[in-house]
Amino acid sequence: MRGVLHLAGTLLLVPYFVLAAFFVLVGRAAASGSWWNLIDLLANTAYWTLYVGLPLVALIFLTLATAGFFASAQRLATLVLAGLSGIVLVILIFWPTTWPDFGQWLFLLPCVLVFALSLLTALSER
């Protein structure tokens, strides 16, 4: 049962991870300074994302999802899930210049639940 819950939490985190990565990319693009630097940044990011980033992120999420099914790796996988969801929440909450309103908190609720439950599960294990 814990493996299925870990898998569900990992799958819930994927869209939030993509959104946080997009926020970071937009922030880097806005700080690029000139059109040439923007084009260079986007070209390098697209090249890196297609050849290294997507396969690496897919491998990391698949490994994280399957590690929740093995008793010897459950605690580490739960800690990684809590850390990753915490980083994603920090980016999604503090990257914009305004504090989230009720609708945005409602949108972030599944990610907050993944963070809280995985942290609670990791800390309650012995």
Side-chain angles (χ1 to χ4, degrees), residues 24-62:
V24 171
L25 177 64
V26 168
R28 288 186 61 208
S32 63
S34 69
W35 284 103
W36 179 252
N37 288 342
L38 175 65
I39 292 169
D40 185 51
L41 172 80
L42 293 177
N44 285 333
T45 301
Y47 177 77
W48 184 86
T49 301
L50 291 176
Y51 289 106
V52 178
L54 287 177
L56 187 64
V57 167
L59 181 68
I60 287 171
F61 273 106
L62 283 173

Side-chain angles (χ1 to χ4, degrees), residues 8-96:
T10 304
L11 291 176
L12 272 173
L13 186 63
V14 171
Y16 294 102
F17 180 83
V18 171
L19 183 63
F22 179 73
F23 275 14
V24 171
L25 177 64
V26 168
R28 288 186 61 208
S32 63
S34 69
W35 284 103
W36 179 252
N37 288 342
L38 175 65
I39 292 169
D40 185 51
L41 172 80
L42 293 177
N44 285 333
T45 301
Y47 177 77
W48 184 86
T49 301
L50 291 176
Y51 289 106
V52 178
L54 287 177
L56 187 64
V57 167
L59 181 68
I60 287 171
F61 273 106
L62 283 173
T63 304
L64 181 61
T66 57
F69 287 101
F70 298 103
S72 60
Q74 275 183 346
R75 182 175 170 95
L76 178 63
T78 306
L79 284 172
V80 169
L81 185 63
L84 191 59
S85 61
I87 290 170
V88 166
L89 276 174
V90 165
I91 291 171
L92 292 178
I93 291 172
F94 294 113
W95 196 276

